[in-house]
C-alpha cells in the first residue's frame, strides 16, 4: 500500500476528487491532507471523508524537523499537490525524489511560475488570446513549475470564453485526469 499526502491551500475540489477516487483502493491510501491555511475548505472536505488533516502554516512547512516528523508519522510514500501555493521546501524534494507531483492549470511552460496560480492563469490565457489551454501534470523541483512534464491535456477555447469559462474547462480536465495519472505513476514506481 502506498500512502499519499495531499498538499492543499484552498477549496479542495481536486483533493476531494483524489480521495474519492482512491477510496477502497488496494494499492493507494490517502493517508493525510496537509494544508497551509487553517480556514481552507479542503480541510472540511478531507474530514468529511475521514482523512486525517494537518494544518502547517508556511513557517512549519519550511521546518524540516516538523515536516519530516509528520511525513514519518503517517508513513508517507508519495506527495500530491492539489492547489498548494507555497513552494515545496528542498528537503522534501530531496526526501521524495520523483515522488512529488503537481497539477498546473495551463500548458506549461506557458503561464507558469511565480504568481501564476488559480484565476491569474486563466486571466493571462484570456488576455494572450490563446486558442487552447489545459492542464500540466509534472514532477516538483526546486524551481516553480519547471519539473519534468508527465502529461498534458488540452481544451479548445474560443474568443468568446471568459476567464471563468476557461477555468471551468480546465477544472473539468483536472477532475477527469489527475487521480488516474497519480495512480499510473504510483503503479509505475511499484513495478
Amino acid at each position: 500500500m502506498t500512502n499519499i499526502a495531499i498538499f492543499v491551500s484552498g477549496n479542495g475540489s481536486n483533493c476531494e476528487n483524489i480521495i474519492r477516487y482512491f477510496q477502497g483502493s488496494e494499492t493507494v491510501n490517502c493517508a493525510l491532507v496537509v494544508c497551509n491555511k487553517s480556514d481552507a475548505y479542503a480541510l472540511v472536505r478531507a474530514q468529511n471523508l475521514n482523512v486525517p488533516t494537518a494544518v502547517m502554516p508556511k513557517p512549519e512547512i519550511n521546518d524540516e524537523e516538523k515536516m519530516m516528523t509528520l511525513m514519518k508519522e503517517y508513513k508517507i510514500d508519495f506527495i500530491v499537490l492539489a492547489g498548494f501555493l507555497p513552494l515545496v521546501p528542498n528537503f522534501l524534494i530531496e526526501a521524495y525524489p520523483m515522488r512529488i507531483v503537481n497539477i498546473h492549470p495551463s500548458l506549461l511552460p506557458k503561464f507558469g511560475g511565480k504568481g501564476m496560480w488559480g484565476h491569474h492563469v486563466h486571466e493571462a490565457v484570456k488576455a494572450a488570446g490563446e486558442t487552447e489551454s489545459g492542464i500540466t501534470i509534472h514532477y516538483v523541483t526546486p524551481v516553480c513549475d519547471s519539473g519534468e512534464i508527465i502529461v498534458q491535456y488540452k481544451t479548445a477555447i474560443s474568443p468568446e470564453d471568459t476567464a471563468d469559462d476557461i477555468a471551468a474547462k480546465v477544472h473539468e480536465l483536472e477532475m477527469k485526469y489527475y487521480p488516474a495519472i497519480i495512480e499510473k505513476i504510483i503503479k509505475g514506481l511499484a513495478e
Side-chain angles (χ1 to χ4, degrees):
M1 181 68 76
T2 299
N3 288 322
I4 68 171
I6 305 171
F7 284 31
V8 297
S9 291
N11 182 37
S13 58
N14 268 310
C15 175
E16 180 177 343
N17 188 42
I18 293 163
I19 293 168
R20 289 187 182 282
Y21 182 90
F22 289 115
Q23 281 178 329
S25 169
E26 293 178 11
T27 55
V28 177
N29 172 43
C30 293
L32 179 66
V33 170
V34 176
C35 187
N36 62 307
K37 295 180 179 179
S38 61
D39 60 347
Y41 191 67
L43 295 167
V44 175
R45 291 179 188 265
Q47 289 159 358
N48 288 343
L49 293 168
N50 300 311
V51 175
T53 60
V55 175
M56 302 292 280
K58 196 172 177 183
E60 291 182 24
I61 287 165
N62 291 314
D63 183 324
E64 184 169 359
E65 189 176 330
K66 283 186 179 175
M67 280 303 291
M68 293 312 294
T69 299
L70 183 67
M71 296 297 102
K72 286 176 184 144
E73 180 184 345
Y74 287 92
K75 298 176 174 61
I76 300 303
D77 303 302
F78 196 87
I79 298 172
V80 173
L81 308 186
F84 185 66
L85 299 182
L87 283 176
V88 175
N90 287 345
F91 66 82
L92 265 181
I93 295 168
E94 289 166 10
Y96 293 91
M98 304 298 273
R99 289 175 184 264
I100 306 177
V101 295
N102 183 42
I103 188 165
H104 185 79
S106 76
L107 300 171
L108 292 175
K110 289 183 174 183
F111 310 105
K114 190 170 174 57
M116 280 289 130
W117 54 273
H119 227 263
H120 303 289
V121 175
H122 309 303
E123 289 166 357
V125 168
K126 172 71 179 166
E130 296 288 320
T131 57
E132 63 182 9
S133 190
I135 60 170
T136 302
I137 299 169
H138 65 92
Y139 290 108
V140 173
T141 64
V143 180
C144 183
D145 295 332
S146 69
E148 178 187 334
I149 292 172
I150 299 161
V151 67
Q152 293 183 313
Y153 293 99
K154 298 176 182 179
T155 184
I157 52 178
S158 72
E160 293 78 35
D161 283 339
T162 64
D164 286 340
D165 295 332
I166 296 167
K169 288 179 177 185
V170 168
H171 191 66
E172 200 173 299
L173 294 176
E174 292 171 346
M175 294 290 114
K176 182 175 179 181
Y177 292 111
Y178 200 23
I181 294 301
I182 294 164
E183 183 176 41
K184 191 173 177 182
I185 294 164
I186 290 171
K187 281 184 176 174
L189 287 171
E191 289 171 357

